[in-house]
Amino acid sequence: MVIRIASRKSDLARIQAYAVGKVLEQFQPSLKVQHHFRESLGDINLHDPLWKMPTQGVFTEDFYRDLADDKADMVVHSWKDLPVIERPDTEVYATLPRADLRDILLVKKKSISAIRSSGQIKIFSSSPRREYNLRPLLQEILPFKLESVSFTSVRGNVPTRLQKLFSEEADGLVLAKAALDRILEAPGGEFVPVKEQIRKLLGETFWMVLPLSQNPAAAAQGALAIEICRSRDDLRELLDRVCCASTWRSAQEERKILSGYGGGCHQKIGVSVLKRSFGQIIYLKGLTDRGETLDRCQLVRAKAMTWPKTTIDKIFPAKPGGDLFFERENVTVDKSLLANRDLWVARADALPDEYAPLPSQRIWCSGVSTWKKLALRGIWVNGCADSLGEREEPSVDTLVGAKINWLKLTHEAGVGTKNGLDTLGTYRLRPKNSLPDLMDKSYFYWTSFSQFRLATERWPEIEKGFHACGPGHTYDLISSRIGERGGGEGKVEVFLSHTDWLKEVLL
């Protein structure tokens, strides 16, 4: 059996088409795959921004005709390029496992001095979504005092846009991280030149992976779409064997949400759906054509919560922020222990004030709040776990070109971690002289296992209450402790924030 796979002719498009062909051949060794590459309207017209071009599907419409005219059996697309309105005679029938959803910002090293002195930064991007969501965010997470963040359109494939960054008057460039990862991970000699070119240019930039909570991706970003004619029943069984079900569901859900606001690359809307063991996280952020501001972070639980609702007098704490249990005391740290490692920072004050990271060091942190505090100290942060816990992999080894062995900076008595992070105590926790009285409380929100442990040592009976915390290691430890000592009476649930917890538990 011969399968004709069509796609665009850029390096990235060919890599993606080859990946599909290889997987199909693995599942059916007798299969012969033929690849057909050519340019689309979006590749030919590199002058107009995508949102100004006359039709949706500027990268996909020509290939739809190939399927309809029987010039190809299937087409491999970047799924985010497809219109959200389905065509009557073709369909996206399968996808492969998704690459990283997130966007990445690259800033030229040689621009840093000028940015600092002028307070201005100019970013290349043709995406209204990125411009809308990133303009305010970059002023808070870049380690400069910025008076102005401007965006200007750039078109072309990944290598072309990188070349334009270094040949034209711009300081930075925003790309889909999946595009860089796929090119850098591509096998075979065919892509060695472009990989070397990209690796060289990356070496001349500082980079940061942008948080999905603040900058959700384009719908289905990082996912591949395998499009076939609806009449091709002979291809369905083969594609059923290679389709990644979890990627399929997330991408379809994102496209469905976007279609509710009209769809299309002109929209200033990002939407990302993350599947986790405790449920599905939906990030939605942007501005609709009707002027509606979107800013949603929602957890759809894998299992319905069984807690009864309660009143404000039964909950602790009633307000977020601050630590009512501990004072923090800095620990003297040998700077050489910090200088030789890439750092995973649990909270902003875990990075000693007197330590200035080297330009070559990568800095990762727990969430956006910690990121902003470090940026105010002039520290370049490469990304964060988005307050989802340290099990959220940074996934930047491909960018760096080596396996990163992170050193987590935390409190002195910090417990070990399940994902194998090395730890270094840079401060210690001292219980406050006066602790809050929890005797009459039964609903609790904990920001650390240390809080839970101290409180339950003082009031053992509260273990039988209803406990909440963010996802990650704190949840693992609290649920384990309740399972061991609570006799099955206590309960613990994941919430994305204290605010969400209050909304869900209060009468």
Side-chain angles (χ1 to χ4, degrees), residues 387-407:
S387 299
L388 297 180
E390 61 194 49
R391 286 180 300 187
E392 293 291 311
E393 290 286 344
S395 298
V396 294
D397 292 352
T398 294
L399 288 171
V400 174
K403 175 69 175 176
I404 295 182
N405 185 19
W406 298 96
L407 177 64

Side-chain angles (χ1 to χ4, degrees), residues 245-406:
S246 61
T247 296
W248 176 270
R249 289 191 294 267
S250 294
Q252 289 283 39
E253 174 127 9
E254 291 167 8
R255 286 166 57 80
K256 181 180 179 181
I257 293 171
L258 182 63
S259 69
Y261 300 99
C265 60
H266 67 284
Q267 291 274 33
K268 302 175 181 178
I269 299 172
V271 55
S272 295
V273 174
L274 304 182
K275 305 284 188 180
R276 296 296 183 264
S277 60
F278 51 85
Q280 176 177 279
I281 304 169
I282 301 173
Y283 295 123
L284 177 66
K285 195 175 183 69
L287 183 69
T288 71
D289 288 343
R290 297 181 179 180
E292 177 187 1
T293 300
L294 305 174
D295 192 357
R296 170 179 153 204
C297 176
Q298 177 185 2
L299 172 61
V300 180
R301 298 185 181 282
K303 296 180 180 179
M305 194 181 76
T306 58
W307 292 8
K309 289 185 179 291
T310 190
T311 54
I312 191 71
D313 60 301
K314 294 296 183 183
I315 72 170
F316 176 85
K319 296 180 180 180
D323 190 334
L324 301 176
F325 293 90
F326 295 104
E327 303 285 357
R328 286 169 174 76
E329 180 181 274
N330 291 337
V331 173
T332 301
V333 176
D334 183 348
K335 291 184 180 180
S336 67
L337 297 177
L338 301 174
N340 296 321
R341 298 289 295 273
D342 294 307
L343 306 177
W344 203 106
V345 184
R347 50 183 295 132
D349 54 12
L351 184 65
D353 289 337
E354 65 275 12
Y355 182 73
L358 302 173
S360 59
Q361 282 184 284
R362 269 76 60 164
I363 307 295
W364 209 259
C365 60
S366 56
V368 175
S369 176
T370 297
W371 189 335
K372 291 177 180 179
K373 291 175 183 177
L374 292 175
L376 287 173
R377 290 169 53 181
I379 296 170
W380 184 282
V381 176
N382 294 98
C384 74
D386 236 342
S387 299
L388 297 180
E390 61 194 49
R391 286 180 300 187
E392 293 291 311
E393 290 286 344
S395 298
V396 294
D397 292 352
T398 294
L399 288 171
V400 174
K403 175 69 175 176
I404 295 182
N405 185 19
W406 298 96

Side-chain angles (χ1 to χ4, degrees), residues 1 75 97 112 154 227 245 273 369 374 391 420 430 466-467:
M1 182 180 182
V75 181
I112 297 299
V154 64
E227 186 181 18
V273 174
S369 176
L374 292 175
R391 286 180 300 187
R430 292 195 178 279
F466 300 94
H467 302 276

Side-chain angles (χ1 to χ4, degrees), residues 25-100:
E25 289 174 334
Q26 288 173 344
F27 276 88
Q28 188 166 321
S30 62
L31 193 70
K32 296 186 182 299
V33 174
Q34 296 178 355
H35 289 281
H36 301 275
F37 306 119
R38 66 184 180 87
E39 292 181 319
S40 66
L41 171 62
D43 297 310
I44 296 169
N45 180 352
L46 295 179
H47 176 70
D48 295 327
L50 293 178
W51 60 273
K52 282 188 175 181
M53 297 186 75
T55 181
Q56 290 188 342
V58 295
F59 294 117
T60 62
E61 188 68 24
D62 297 333
F63 296 100
Y64 161 70
R65 296 307 321 164
D66 285 349
L67 290 174
D69 296 341
D70 194 30
K71 294 179 179 178
D73 299 301
M74 59 183 67
V75 181
V76 177
H77 307 280
S78 292
W79 205 341
K80 68 181 179 64
D81 293 337
L82 283 168
V84 294
I85 300 173
E86 295 185 358
R87 300 179 174 110
D89 47 356
T90 68
E91 63 178 324
V92 175
Y93 190 74
T95 187
L96 299 187
R98 193 175 197 172
D100 202 322

